[in-house]
């Protein structure tokens, strides 16, 4: 989590000295500070929308879900526990969960699958990204992902980028659910160590 | 159900949980298990944090202007969970489900942190009404008449133009609304809409601007528009016309400059708007 905090500040390249941390913003937001909310939005909305859209694909639906995410941030800012992880991670976790809920609760999942096809779920790490910072993140994650076995990588990509549940993944890959769980856990532990996340 | 017995060991599910690959029931059971085991919780927190890094590596996507404007407007009607001050057992704080469904917009009967606005609202409203063209007694009757307009005109599909287009006018208005709601001295007050529902007035004295936000404002028949007014001792000054989208959130950033203490009203007027109100207001409130 130390890594994440450093990276967050980096997103305000140039004035990282003066940038208020996301943790501080969440604290202000929990006291009803709309200006702090506006700042948090400006600094994190593209990331939230990027993540939601990766899972949902459809842009209009993704904006709806991203809006729900920010309303939930407004509602529950008082519940953020800084000792359990970084604010950015809290926000992205919430975003991923909402996106996944939407995919599983509706027709959107099926529509999406028809549109992109299962093969394209794995992210294209070579795509050109907008900023140096994102490229660095890409590079880090790409390198860490490369340390996994192909089977672990496949399972994690289906779960995180595809939004599939372990039983759906079991169906797609024709393997038992227990095996999926093991691949996800072993893979995530490996990733955690490669990315240097301490907890 | 071909679950194996080893699937029940929560330790096996840390990876799946961190990637949201478990069902809601499983997630709940898993969270209970983490409460009971510190080592399990530690591993889980680490993997959740790691999943966050996967999220950070995704290319950001720029949201539309209106997404922020809508969101800032919705804050006014979204209650916040209370802060949990050190072990001061608030009895019903825990009754609120942590991950309740999509932030059901709770009408702000008792606006959360902004006691200022809350306490002045009722008084301000009655003051504004008493000013309405010195006909306070007829206000309620007039409002009934205005409401009848909707019925008389026959509410047919979308009136004028849907407020949910992506025209540059809408975007400009959206940016204006975002600016007002984000201002440091932004204030708000909730007032009833005749015919049902509530409207939220949002204003900033330093910006000298205000906006009206209404959920599900009734679309008007052809040839009618909503018109906003700034009202002071001198009378009512026109502040722009607008239409309703029917569903979702409608808003109007008032034209012209607002002075602190101005009342804000909305009437139904013929298309093109009027220079003085020709009907009684369906919305009245006062800035402070």
């Amino acid at each position: 989590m130390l890594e994440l905090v450093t990276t967050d500040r980096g997103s305000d390249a140039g004035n990282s000295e003066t940038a208020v941390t996301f943790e501080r913003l969440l604290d202000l937001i929990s006291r009803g500070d709309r200006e702090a909310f506006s700042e948090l939005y400006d600094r994190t909305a593209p990331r939230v929308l990027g993540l939601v859209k990766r899972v949902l694909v459809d842009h209009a639906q993704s904006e709806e879900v991203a809006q729900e995410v920010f309303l939930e941030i407004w509602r529950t800012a008082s519940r953020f526990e800084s000792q359990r992880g970084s604010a950015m991670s809290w926000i992205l976790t919430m975003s991923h969960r909402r996106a996944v809920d939407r995919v599983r609760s509706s027709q959107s999942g099926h529509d999406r699958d028809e549109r992109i096809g299962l093969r394209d779920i794995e992210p294209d790490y070579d795509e050109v990204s907008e900023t140096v910072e994102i490229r660095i993140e890409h590079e880090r994650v790409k390198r860490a992902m490369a340390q996994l076995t192909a089977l672990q990588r496949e399972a994690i990509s289906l779960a995180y980028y595809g939004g599939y549940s372990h039983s759906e993944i079991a169906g797609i890959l024709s393997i038992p659910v227990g095996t999926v769980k093991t691949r996800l856990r072993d893979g995530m532990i490996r990733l955690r160590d490669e990315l240097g996340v301490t907890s | 159900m071909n679950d194996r017995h080893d699937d029940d060991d929560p330790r096996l599910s840390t990876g799946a949980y961190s990637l949201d690959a478990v069902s809601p029931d499983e997630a709940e059971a898993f969270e209970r298990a983490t409460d009971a085991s510190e080592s399990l919780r530690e591993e889980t927190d680490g993997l959740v944090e790691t999943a966050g890094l996967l999220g950070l590596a995704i290319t950001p996507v720029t949201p539309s202007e209106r997404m922020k404007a809508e969101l800032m407007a919705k804050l006014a009607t979204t209650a916040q969970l209370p802060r949990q001050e050190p072990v001061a057992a608030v009895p019903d704080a825990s009754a609120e489900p942590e991950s309740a469904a999509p932030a059901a917009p709770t009408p702000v009967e008792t606006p959360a942190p902004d006691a200022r606005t809350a306490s002045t609202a009722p008084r301000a409203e009655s003051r504004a009404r008493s000013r309405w063209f010195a006909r306070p007694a007829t206000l309620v009757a007039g409002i009934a008449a205005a409401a009848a307009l909707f019925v008389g005109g026959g509410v047919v599909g979308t009136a004028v133009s849907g407020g949910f287009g992506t025209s540059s006018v809408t975007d400009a208005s959206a940016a204006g609304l975002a600016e007002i709601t984000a201002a440091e001295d932004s204030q708000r007050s909730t007032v009833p809409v005749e015919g049902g529902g509530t409207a939220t007035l949002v204003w900033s004295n330093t910006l000298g601007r205000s906006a009206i936000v209404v959920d599900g404002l009734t679309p008007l028949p052809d040839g009618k528009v909503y018109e906003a007014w700034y009202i002071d001792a001198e009378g009512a000054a026109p502040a722009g016309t607008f239409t309703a989208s029917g569903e979702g959130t409608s808003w109007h950033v008032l034209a012209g400059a607002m002075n602190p203490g101005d009342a804000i009203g909305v009437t139904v007027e013929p298309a093109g708007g009027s220079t003085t109100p020709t009907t009684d207001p369906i919305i009245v409130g006062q800035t402070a």
Side-chain angles (χ1 to χ4, degrees):
Chain A
M1 64 188 80
L2 296 174
E3 298 288 342
L4 270 177
V5 174
T6 324
T7 323
D8 293 344
R9 294 230 179 84
S11 64
D12 293 284
N15 60 343
S16 53
E17 245 76 75
T18 53
V20 182
T21 64
F22 293 132
E23 285 73 13
R24 173 74 184 134
L25 287 176
L26 281 180
D27 185 56
L28 291 170
I29 290 166
S30 75
R31 298 164 197 272
D33 187 330
R34 289 186 292 278
E35 212 185 346
F37 182 86
S38 172
E39 183 181 342
L40 183 81
Y41 177 90
D42 290 342
R43 287 168 59 187
T44 62
R47 286 195 179 282
V48 167
L49 184 58
L51 169 52
V52 171
K53 199 176 170 190
R54 165 73 81 187
V55 176
L56 283 177
V57 180
D58 179 76
H59 187 89
Q61 273 205 53
S62 301
E63 284 214 350
E64 267 176 48
V65 170
Q67 230 185 50
E68 289 171 14
V69 169
F70 278 97
L71 281 178
E72 189 174 345
I73 292 173
W74 171 254
R75 282 182 62 249
T76 63
S78 60
R79 299 296 191 265
F80 168 67
E81 301 172 79
S82 56
Q83 67 277 13
R84 289 197 69 178
S86 70
M88 193 65 219
S89 172
W90 186 71
I91 291 168
L92 291 177
T93 298
M94 204 181 278
S95 308
H96 191 258
R97 209 160 281 174
R98 287 258 175 199
V100 161
D101 284 350
R102 175 65 72 102
V103 144
R104 292 190 196 147
S105 71
S106 66
Q107 186 61 26
S108 30
H110 299 286
D111 295 348
R112 182 201 60 170
D113 289 352
E114 275 173 22
R115 194 155 347 143
I116 59 178
L118 280 183
R119 286 295 94 199
D120 298 333
I121 293 280
E122 278 211 50
D124 176 8
Y125 288 111
D126 293 323
E127 82 186 47
V128 183
S129 31
E130 295 166 41
T131 67
V132 175
E133 180 218 341
I134 302 296
R135 252 197 311 272
I136 291 169
E137 291 296 345
H138 268 296
E139 201 48 46
R140 277 184 75 200
V141 171
K142 183 183 172 184
R143 223 177 293 141
M145 288 286 263
Q147 301 305 310
L148 307 182
T149 69
L151 294 176
Q152 289 168 344
R153 198 159 49 236
E154 177 182 53
I156 288 178
S157 294
L158 284 169
Y160 195 78
Y161 299 108
Y164 292 100
S165 70
H166 53 37
S167 48
E168 285 172 322
I169 296 171
I172 292 167
L173 301 178
S174 304
I175 53 174
V177 171
T179 308
V180 175
K181 286 183 179 178
T182 306
R183 282 183 195 168
L184 293 178
R185 176 169 183 243
D186 293 349
M188 286 304 285
I189 287 175
R190 186 74 195 264
L191 266 187
R192 177 194 68 195
D193 297 342
E194 290 294 333
L195 291 168
V197 174
T198 52
S199 69
Chain B
M1 297 295 147
N2 44 10
D3 274 5
R4 295 140 163 256
H5 71 282
D6 59 359
D7 288 350
D8 293 338
D9 180 358
R11 180 71 63 175
L12 276 180
S13 295
T14 53
Y17 175 84
S18 72
L19 294 161
D20 298 319
V22 294
S23 71
D25 287 349
E26 287 169 302
E28 207 177 298
F30 183 83
E31 281 160 14
R32 269 199 307 276
T34 58
D35 286 342
S37 161
E38 198 179 321
S39 72
L40 185 62
R41 177 171 164 141
E42 212 168 88
E43 176 174 318
T44 305
D45 285 354
L47 297 191
V48 167
E49 193 76 10
T50 303
L53 283 171
L54 293 179
L56 268 186
I58 291 174
T59 307
V61 174
T62 307
S64 65
E65 277 274 300
R66 71 174 289 109
M67 181 173 145
K68 181 173 184 185
E70 278 189 7
L71 191 57
M72 296 304 292
K74 283 179 183 168
L75 295 192
T77 53
T78 305
Q80 293 187 288
L81 296 186
R83 292 170 58 82
Q84 290 169 318
E85 301 305 343
V87 204
V90 182
D92 51 0
S94 55
E96 180 98 29
E98 189 88 10
S99 54
T106 319
V108 187
E109 294 297 330
T110 46
D114 222 337
R116 263 182 321 179
T117 354
S119 59
T120 58
R123 188 172 51 86
E125 191 191 317
S126 61
R127 242 163 73 207
R129 291 191 164 198
S130 70
R131 277 189 194 184
W132 191 261
F133 292 116
R135 282 185 291 134
T138 60
L139 187 65
V140 174
I143 280 158
L149 251 182
F150 302 135
V151 184
V155 187
V156 216
T158 32
V160 208
S161 69
F164 264 60
T166 46
S167 69
S168 55
V169 177
T170 309
D171 285 345
S173 161
L177 178 60
E179 193 190 351
I180 296 166
T181 51
E184 198 165 352
D185 68 335
S186 176
Q187 296 187 69
R188 64 189 188 277
S189 141
T190 304
V191 296
V193 177
E194 296 308 325
T198 59
T200 303
L201 307 179
V202 192
W203 69 92
S204 158
N205 288 336
T206 54
L207 294 175
R209 301 184 72 192
S210 71
I212 299 163
V213 184
V214 196
D215 270 326
L217 186 63
T218 316
L220 294 173
D222 281 342
K224 299 285 179 191
V225 292
Y226 289 104
E227 183 160 10
W229 309 90
Y230 277 130
I231 306 135
D232 61 14
E234 307 292 308
T241 62
F242 60 104
T243 56
S245 57
E247 46 188 69
T249 310
S250 304
W251 70 79
H252 175 64
V253 176
L254 273 70
M258 183 205 80
N259 295 310
D262 276 357
I264 292 169
V266 174
T267 59
V268 176
E269 300 293 338
S274 309
T275 50
T276 54
T278 62
T279 62
D280 285 309
I282 57 155
I283 296 172
V284 199
Q286 182 150 25
T287 64

